């Protein structure tokens, strides 16, 4: 509540000044507006759709942890002065919903995606409970309500999210409708190809289990049959109990798992301990929530990083167990 009051006071001063700025109708056809986003995949979608006539900026610094990030006063000022703010919502970003609420009556266009329930539904939600260790590894109820927020890791959910954003952008920029639709078609084609690559590669994997530090990959379970055995929950702060650790180690050993998969922007001592216990090797996967400085310098984007993730998955599931003979 205190944070919300601070935001309202901050925005009230900013927006008194912003009220004197030109209205949208006064901008020239070639003028660039700034749209702020939270997670990188939202930025990527808007860049693909409208990058020719808007500037798109994520509020996350390179390498930040989206789960624990808290914006600075300057970031709040930037959002308030931006043309639009596109965010996922409280499933991942508790501050974003509070920020949007404080801006409800102002000119900044707010596009929240958490309200589109179809983005989050999975086949597994309507089935019977999994075994207790598997259910615990997914941590669907930890910290984020009933939804896993990492929808962008599923290329087809990215397609759906892109379609939603395209419609909202068309409402804001009706004169660019044809360009937005054309760019959406191109993006969806790329995402369909990516989905096919995941399907073709992972269908050949005999072993579907992956040992991960963070339960961010439930949508790969739903789409590609991958089974994540996760050390931490959907939030990295959802740490396992001692019994959970014992179960994870025993399961990993029984399955002959060779690798523990870490993420690019999170240090996890507990997962490193499990790696030592099973005498495993470390692999790195990219959760894509935030780019690193290295990603930016190397010109990486959503598609290139997802293809790298697929290579990691292929390696992690390419193992031989006693059952294979």
């Amino acid at each position: 509540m205190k944070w919300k009051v601070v935001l309202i006071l901050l925005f009230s001063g900013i927006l008194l000044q912003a009220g004197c700025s030109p209205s949208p109708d006064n901008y020239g056809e070639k003028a660039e507006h700034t749209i702020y986003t939270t997670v990188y995949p939202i930025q990527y979608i808007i860049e693909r759709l409208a990058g020719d006539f808007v500037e798109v900026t994520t509020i996350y610094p390179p390498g930040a942890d989206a789960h624990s990030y808290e914006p600075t006063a300057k970031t709040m000022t930037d959002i308030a002065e931006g043309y639009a703010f596109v965010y996922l919502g409280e499933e991942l970003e508790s501050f974003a919903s509070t920020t949007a609420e404080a801006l409800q009556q102002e000119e900044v266009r707010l596009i929240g995606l958490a309200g589109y329930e179809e983005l989050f539904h999975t086949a597994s939600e309507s089935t019977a409970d999994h075994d207790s260790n598997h259910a615990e590894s997914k941590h669907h109820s930890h910290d984020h309500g009933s939804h896993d927020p990492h929808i962008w890791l599923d290329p087809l959910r990215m397609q759906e999210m892109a379609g939603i954003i395209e419609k909202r952008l068309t409402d804001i920029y009706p004169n660019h409708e044809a360009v937005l639709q054309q760019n959406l078609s191109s993006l969806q084609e790329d995402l369909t190809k990516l989905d096919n690559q995941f399907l073709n590669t992972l269908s050949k994997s005999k072993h579907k289990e992956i040992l991960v530090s963070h339960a961010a990959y439930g949508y790969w379970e739903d789409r590609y049959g991958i089974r994540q055995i996760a050390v931490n929950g959907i939030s990295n702060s959802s740490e396992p109990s001692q019994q959970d650790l014992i179960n994870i180690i025993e399961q990993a050993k029984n399955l002959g798992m060779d690798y523990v998969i870490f993420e690019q922007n999170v240090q996890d001592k507990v997962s490193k301990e499990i790696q030592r216990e099973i005498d495993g090797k470390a692999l790195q996967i990219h959760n894509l929530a935030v780019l690193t400085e290295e990603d930016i310098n190397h010109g990486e984007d959503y598609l290139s990083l997802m293809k790298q993730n697929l290579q990691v998955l292929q390696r992690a599931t390419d193992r031989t167990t006693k059952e294979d003979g």
Side-chain angles (χ1 to χ4, degrees):
M1 179 62 67
K2 181 179 178 182
W3 180 238
K4 180 178 176 181
V5 172
V6 171
L7 284 177
I8 292 173
L9 290 174
L10 173 65
F11 289 139
S12 63
I14 294 168
L15 294 165
L16 283 174
Q17 299 177 3
C20 299
S21 62
S23 67
D25 293 337
N26 292 333
Y27 284 105
E29 186 70 12
K30 296 182 180 179
E32 285 191 345
H33 302 156
T34 298
I35 295 179
Y36 288 97
T37 77
T38 51
V39 292
Y40 164 68
I42 298 176
Q43 177 190 11
Y44 176 76
I45 287 173
I46 300 175
E47 286 175 339
R48 287 288 304 264
L49 296 179
D52 290 338
F53 55 90
V54 301
E55 180 180 346
V56 192
T57 303
T58 175
I59 64 172
Y60 292 132
D65 181 353
H67 291 279
S68 59
Y69 171 80
E70 292 187 5
T72 64
K74 182 182 184 306
T75 300
M76 294 300 178
T77 301
D78 290 341
I79 295 172
E81 294 179 343
Y83 195 69
F85 178 43
V86 188
Y87 60 98
L88 196 60
E90 63 185 15
E91 300 288 342
L92 180 67
E93 316 139 348
S94 58
F95 74 88
S97 296
T98 305
T99 300
E101 186 176 347
L103 289 168
Q104 279 291 335
Q105 304 303 317
E106 309 303 337
E107 291 185 0
V108 179
R109 281 108 174 122
L110 303 172
I111 302 176
L113 299 173
Y116 293 89
E117 291 284 330
E118 65 271 21
L119 292 173
F120 302 90
H121 290 164
T122 66
S124 61
E125 288 174 347
S126 60
T127 61
D129 290 339
H130 296 277
D131 63 273
S132 59
N133 188 61
H134 186 204
E136 187 66 24
S137 75
K138 292 182 74 172
H139 291 273
H140 279 305
S141 62
H142 285 241
D143 295 331
H144 299 286
S146 60
H147 292 321
D148 178 348
H150 305 89
I151 52 177
W152 59 84
L153 290 170
D154 177 353
L156 298 190
R157 291 176 198 274
M158 270 288 281
Q159 281 188 334
E160 293 183 57
M161 185 160 59
I164 291 167
I165 292 173
E166 185 271 334
K167 287 183 174 63
R168 298 298 298 272
L169 290 176
T170 297
D171 291 339
I172 297 173
Y173 299 104
N175 292 339
H176 292 288
E177 181 178 4
V179 173
L180 289 167
Q181 289 182 349
Q182 181 179 355
N183 290 342
L184 175 64
S185 178
S186 174
L187 174 57
Q188 289 183 329
E189 183 178 344
D190 287 342
L191 292 170
T192 296
K193 290 178 181 177
L194 180 64
D195 174 61
N196 287 334
Q197 288 177 309
F198 268 71
L199 281 170
N200 293 336
T201 299
L202 296 177
S203 65
K204 300 171 186 175
S205 299
K206 185 172 184 180
H207 301 285
K208 302 296 186 180
E209 301 87 1
I210 57 173
L211 180 54
V212 295
S213 62
H214 172 206
Y217 310 101
Y219 295 112
W220 285 349
E221 293 183 304
D222 194 58
R223 185 74 66 193
Y224 308 117
I226 290 296
R227 179 185 175 190
Q228 63 174 338
I229 300 172
V231 178
N232 299 294
I234 289 177
S235 168
N236 284 303
S237 63
S238 302
E239 295 184 353
S241 68
Q242 190 63 37
Q243 187 58 51
D244 290 333
L245 291 176
I246 293 172
N247 291 341
I248 290 170
I249 291 169
E250 289 182 352
Q251 191 172 14
K253 288 181 177 179
N254 290 337
L255 290 169
M257 305 187 80
D258 302 314
Y259 299 102
V260 179
I261 301 177
F262 296 86
E263 294 180 343
Q264 85 284 359
N265 61 340
V266 180
Q267 298 295 322
D268 184 2
K269 294 180 180 179
V270 178
S271 296
K272 287 185 179 297
E273 182 60 34
I274 290 178
Q275 180 190 344
R276 286 191 289 269
E277 287 290 331
I278 68 171
D279 193 25
K281 302 179 183 68
L283 290 176
Q284 181 175 288
I285 209 161
H286 205 300
N287 58 37
L288 283 112
V290 182
L291 295 184
T292 65
E293 289 282 6
E294 184 178 4
D295 297 330
I296 295 169
N297 291 337
H298 291 170
E300 304 288 1
D301 65 9
Y302 175 86
L303 293 176
S304 67
L305 292 171
M306 282 289 284
K307 289 173 184 177
Q308 291 176 27
N309 282 345
L310 181 56
Q311 293 175 353
V312 172
L313 287 177
Q314 186 176 21
R315 185 174 179 184
T317 55
D318 183 19
R319 65 178 188 274
T320 302
T321 67
K322 293 180 181 178
E323 293 179 358
D324 297 328

